[in-house]
Amino acid sequence: EIVLTQSPATLSLSPGERATLSCRASQSVSSFLAWYQQKPGQAPRLLIYDASNRATGIPARFSGSGSGTDFTLTISSLEPEDFAVYYCQQRSDWPLTFGGGTKVEIQ
Amino acid sequence: QVHLVESGGGVVQPGRSLTLSCAASGFTFTNSGMHWVRQPPGKGLEWLAVIWHDGSTKYYADSVQGRFTISRDNSKNTLFLQMDSLRAEDTAVYYCARSCAGDCFGAFFDYWGQGTLVTVSS
């Protein structure tokens, strides 16, 4: 199965700062990668699909890039509501897999 | 609007069975692939199973292959997960989720239910 490794595990930043999250795949997933945001007690929410496309209703401060094995989620300027856990997920092959998550916390 | 509502969670003894349901509304259920994803307390997400829109194809994670069965009743807009031979490590919140539709087409998840907690304990 394709293993997705996210780094860092925790990112401590202040509101207004730029957040850069990484997801690395154990083999190429082409552009078949998504990013989700999850807040405590809530279901995940789709942010980015196919590596760089924002899902419906997602603010422009969220952007995704990459292809093959290396992907990045960037939040250009953190808002208070952006402090959460972020997961990447691939749909290149079965079984579908998620990364272990990056927690973005308030510094 | 799209609504997915899971039910059927609870406390169950190891080795026993449990069936989860997911009631769907607000979209054409018969056009959508559907998934189950779980999350152990305090841990990350694990995809479990998918079923094609017409029930013709199913895939499973290795961790549940042979123990869990995904199914659907398109006449009732309902998705199911039958879980047999439950283990302590199956303790988790179980989410149903829809395969992306529209521009976001494919096995990403654009809508999720609120989840139902399954606790496997004696």
Side-chain angles (χ1 to χ4, degrees):
Chain A
E1 74 176 40
I2 297 174
V3 176
L4 299 179
T5 302
Q6 291 188 241
S7 61
T10 304
L11 199 51
S12 298
L13 295 168
S14 300
E17 289 194 294
R18 183 184 189 89
T20 303
L21 288 66
S22 173
C23 177
R24 177 164 289 177
S26 60
Q27 63 191 76
S28 176
V29 298
S30 185
S31 294
F32 299 133
L33 190 106
W35 291 93
Y36 300 84
Q37 176 193 68
Q38 188 179 32
K39 298 179 181 179
Q42 296 184 17
R45 177 176 69 145
L46 178 66
L47 299 176
I48 301 287
Y49 65 93
D50 289 343
S52 61
N53 297 293
R54 273 190 302 277
T56 302
I58 301 304
R61 63 180 181 274
F62 291 93
S63 63
S65 64
S67 66
T69 61
D70 290 301
F71 300 86
T72 300
L73 174 69
T74 301
I75 311 171
S76 59
S77 178
L78 283 163
E79 297 288 339
E81 62 268 28
D82 298 336
F83 292 91
V85 180
Y86 293 83
Y87 295 95
C88 57
Q89 177 242 325
Q90 64 81 21
R91 71 169 182 88
S92 175
D93 197 10
W94 305 102
L96 307 181
T97 50
F98 289 91
T102 290
K103 181 179 182 181
V104 178
E105 64 176 22
I106 300 176
Q107 187 172 47
Chain B
Q1 68 274 32
V2 173
H3 249 78
L4 298 171
V5 180
E6 302 94 341
S7 61
V11 180
V12 60
Q13 292 180 329
R16 303 297 290 265
S17 298
L18 198 65
T19 298
L20 306 182
S21 301
C22 171
S25 61
F27 66 102
T28 305
F29 186 68
T30 52
N31 288 349
S32 292
M34 296 296 297
H35 304 255
W36 288 99
V37 176
R38 71 183 177 185
Q39 185 169 37
K43 296 190 176 181
L45 301 166
E46 180 186 17
W47 174 82
L48 297 179
V50 62
I51 185 168
W52 258 222
H53 66 285
D54 58 359
S56 61
T57 299
K58 305 172 186 180
Y59 290 107
Y60 296 91
D62 288 347
S63 60
V64 302
Q65 176 79 50
R67 296 191 302 126
F68 290 10
T69 302
I70 189 171
S71 62
R72 64 192 296 160
D73 184 341
N74 282 350
S75 69
K76 296 182 178 178
N77 288 357
T78 304
L79 176 73
F80 301 99
L81 184 68
Q82 180 180 339
M83 305 184 293
D84 298 324
S85 303
L86 283 162
R87 307 165 179 167
E89 54 265 36
D90 295 319
T91 294
V93 173
Y94 285 73
Y95 296 101
C96 63
R98 189 184 82 165
S99 272
C100 257
D103 291 341
C104 170
F105 182 80
F108 296 133
F109 317 113
D110 58 356
Y111 287 96
W112 299 64
Q114 84 289 350
T116 187
L117 176 62
V118 173
T119 303
V120 183
S121 174
S122 54

